[in-house]
C-alpha cells in the first residue's frame, strides 16, 4: 500500500517546479487582492486535477494490469487512490488556510501608517469549499475505475461547471425575481465548530459511499 501511494507522489514530484511556481503566483495574487478565497478554490481544483493525472499515468502504462501480477489486490489499488485524494485535498486546504492567515496577520505601510488588511477571509466559506470539492472528487473516482480517466475527467469538468452554474445562475435568478439574499447571512452566523462537524460528517459519508462504489467498479473492471 505504501509503495502504491509513494509511486503517485514520486510521479507528482516530477512536476514540483510547476506546482511551486503556481503556489507562488497564487500567494502573490492573494496578497494583491487581499482575499484568499480564489487561491483556495484554485488549489482545490488543482488538487483534483493532480489526482486525475496520476490515474491517467497509470492508465497510459497499464500499471493496474501489471500491479495485479504482484502481491497487490484490487482493493489496495482503490485504497491507494483514496489515500492520495485525502493527502492532496488536505494539503490544498492547509496551504489555502495558511494564505488566509498570513493575509489576516500581515501589515502594510499605507500613507505613512500601518494598518491591518481587511479581507473577506471566512472560515465558513473555506469549510464549504473544501466539502464541495471533496464531494465532487468522490463522485469522480468511481468513474475512473468504471469508465477510464478521460471520461472521468469529463464528468469532473461537468460537475465543476455545474456547481458554478448552480451558484451564479441561482444568484442571478434570485436577483431577477427580486428575492432578497439576506437569508444567506444566517448561514455565516452558524458557529464554525458546528458547521465543521456537519461538513465533516458529509465528507466522511461521501468518501465511504464513493469508496464502496469504486471497489465494486474495480472488482468488475478488466484492465487492458
Amino acid at each position: 500500500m505504501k509503495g502504491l501511494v509513494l509511486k503517485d507522489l514520486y510521479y507528482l514530484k516530477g512536476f514540483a517546479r510547476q506546482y511551486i511556481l503556481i503556489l507562488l503566483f497564487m500567494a502573490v495574487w492573494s496578497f494583491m487582492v487581499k482575499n484568499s478565497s480564489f487561491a483556495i478554490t484554485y488549489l482545490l481544483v488543482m488538487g483534483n486535477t493532480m489526482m486525475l493525472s496520476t490515474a491517467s499515468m497509470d492508465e497510459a502504462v497499464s500499471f493496474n494490469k501489471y500491479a495485479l501480477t504482484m502481491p497487490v489486490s484490487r482493493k489496495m489499488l482503490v485504497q491507494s487512490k483514496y489515500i492520495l485524494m485525502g493527502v492532496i485535498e488536505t494539503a490544498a486546504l492547509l496551504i489555502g488556510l495558511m494564505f488566509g492567515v498570513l493575509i489576516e496577520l500581515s501589515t502594510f505601510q499605507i500613507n505613512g501608517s500601518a494598518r491591518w488588511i481587511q479581507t473577506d477571509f471566512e472560515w465558513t466559506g473555506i469549510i464549504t469549499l473544501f466539502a464541495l470539492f471533496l464531494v465532487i472528487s468522490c463522485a469522480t473516482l468511481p468513474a475512473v475505475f468504471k469508465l477510464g480517466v478521460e471520461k472521468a475527467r469529463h464528468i469532473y469538468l461537468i460537475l465543476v461547471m455545474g456547481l458554478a452554474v448552480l451558484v451564479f445562475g441561482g444568484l442571478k435568478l434570485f436577483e431577477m425575481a427580486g428575492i432578497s439574499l439576506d437569508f444567506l447571512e444566517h448561514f455565516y452566523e452558524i458557529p464554525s465548530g458546528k458547521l465543521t462537524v456537519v461538513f465533516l460528517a458529509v465528507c466522511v459519508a461521501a468518501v465511504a459511499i464513493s469508496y464502496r462504489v469504486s471497489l465494486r467498479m474495480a472488482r468488475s473492471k478488466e484492465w487492458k
Side-chain angles (χ1 to χ4, degrees), residues 35-38 40-41 44 93 97 120-133 187-190 192 195-196 199:
N35 190 330
S36 64
S37 298
F38 177 76
I40 294 171
T41 303
L44 290 170
L93 175 64
L97 289 174
D120 295 325
F121 179 69
E122 292 286 348
W123 292 99
T124 303
I126 294 173
I127 295 170
T128 304
L129 283 173
F130 175 76
L132 286 173
F133 278 97
F187 176 74
Y188 288 96
E189 293 175 358
I190 301 175
S192 59
L195 196 64
T196 301
F199 279 125

Side-chain angles (χ1 to χ4, degrees), residues 2-148:
K2 180 180 178 181
L4 293 173
V5 177
L6 287 176
K7 178 264 300 178
D8 289 334
L9 293 177
Y10 284 139
Y11 169 69
L12 294 176
K13 183 180 178 181
F15 299 92
R17 182 177 298 179
Q18 292 91 321
Y19 295 146
I20 291 174
L21 289 176
I22 292 174
L23 285 176
L24 290 175
F25 170 77
M26 296 308 301
V28 173
W29 180 263
S30 296
F31 278 98
M32 289 178 61
V33 300
K34 304 177 181 64
N35 190 330
S36 64
S37 298
F38 177 76
I40 294 171
T41 303
Y42 189 84
L43 286 169
L44 290 170
V45 171
M46 187 175 71
N48 288 341
T49 302
M50 290 165 61
M51 185 186 65
L52 289 174
S53 295
T54 62
S56 179
M57 184 64 181
D58 288 344
E59 191 174 272
V61 298
S62 300
F63 174 80
N64 290 333
K65 181 179 180 180
Y66 169 72
L68 292 175
T69 64
M70 301 182 291
V72 175
S73 65
R74 295 171 185 263
K75 184 177 181 179
M76 292 172 65
L77 291 174
V78 174
Q79 287 176 344
S80 67
K81 291 304 179 187
Y82 279 85
I83 292 174
L84 180 69
M85 179 184 71
V87 170
I88 291 177
E89 294 288 341
T90 302
L93 175 64
L94 293 177
I95 293 172
L97 289 174
M98 180 183 67
F99 284 171
V101 171
L102 289 177
I103 291 174
E104 285 289 324
L105 297 178
S106 298
T107 57
F108 282 83
Q109 195 74 18
I110 299 180
N111 296 327
S113 61
R115 69 177 180 87
W116 290 100
I117 298 178
Q118 301 298 320
T119 72
D120 295 325
F121 179 69
E122 292 286 348
W123 292 99
T124 303
I126 294 173
I127 295 170
T128 304
L129 283 173
F130 175 76
L132 286 173
F133 278 97
L134 183 64
V135 169
I136 290 176
S137 185
C138 287
T140 305
L141 266 179
V144 171
F145 294 103
K146 177 64 176 180
L147 304 173

